Amino acid sequence: FIRHGESEFNANPNLDERLDYALTLKGRKQAESLQPLVRELPITTICVSPLRRAIETKDIVSRYNECNVVIIDALRECNLDVWNKMMELER
C-alpha cells in the first residue's frame, strides 16, 4: 500500500474536504522519492482510488513499471474508522 502524497487539502485543511484536490509540490516530491523502490518490485497490477491525488501519485510512483491499472471506486476514501473496521475483519 502507498498512500497518496501531500494534497492541497493536506496542506490546507480549511479547504472543502469533499473536493478532489491535486498533489502539492511536496506531494509530488514524496511520490518521486518512492520511484526507485517501486521500480525494483515485480508489480503486475496497481489498484488505485479514482481520486486525483491518488492517480497523480500512481502516475509518478509507477512511471517506470509496465503493469495493469485497476481503478477501484471503493478505495475513494478510507478514514480511520473505516480502516479500523477493515483491520478487525482481518483478525
Side-chain angles (χ1 to χ4, degrees):
F1 281 92
I2 295 176
R3 186 178 189 269
H4 61 79
E6 180 185 72
S7 71
E8 294 167 347
F9 178 75
N10 296 135
N12 182 0
N14 294 321
L15 296 173
D16 185 344
E17 68 183 40
R18 296 168 293 175
L19 297 179
D20 191 6
Y21 294 102
L23 294 178
T24 62
L25 178 59
K26 178 180 178 181
R28 289 190 293 279
K29 288 181 179 183
Q30 289 169 331
E32 288 169 0
S33 74
L34 292 173
Q35 271 181 354
L37 173 66
V38 172
R39 183 185 295 173
E40 300 301 318
L41 297 174
I43 297 171
T44 58
T45 302
I46 295 176
C47 299
V48 64
S49 160
L51 294 174
R52 184 174 174 187
R53 59 190 175 264
I55 297 287
E56 286 182 77
T57 300
K58 183 269 307 168
D59 288 346
I60 294 167
V61 167
S62 66
R63 183 170 290 140
Y64 303 106
N65 296 73
E66 292 289 328
C67 56
N68 298 317
V69 175
V70 179
I71 297 174
I72 300 176
D73 197 58
L75 295 176
R76 180 175 291 276
E77 279 300 327
C78 183
N79 63 31
L80 187 57
D81 290 335
V82 171
W83 180 257
N84 286 334
K85 287 176 185 171
M86 287 170 41
M87 291 299 95
E88 286 175 13
L89 294 175
E90 292 288 318
R91 292 184 197 146

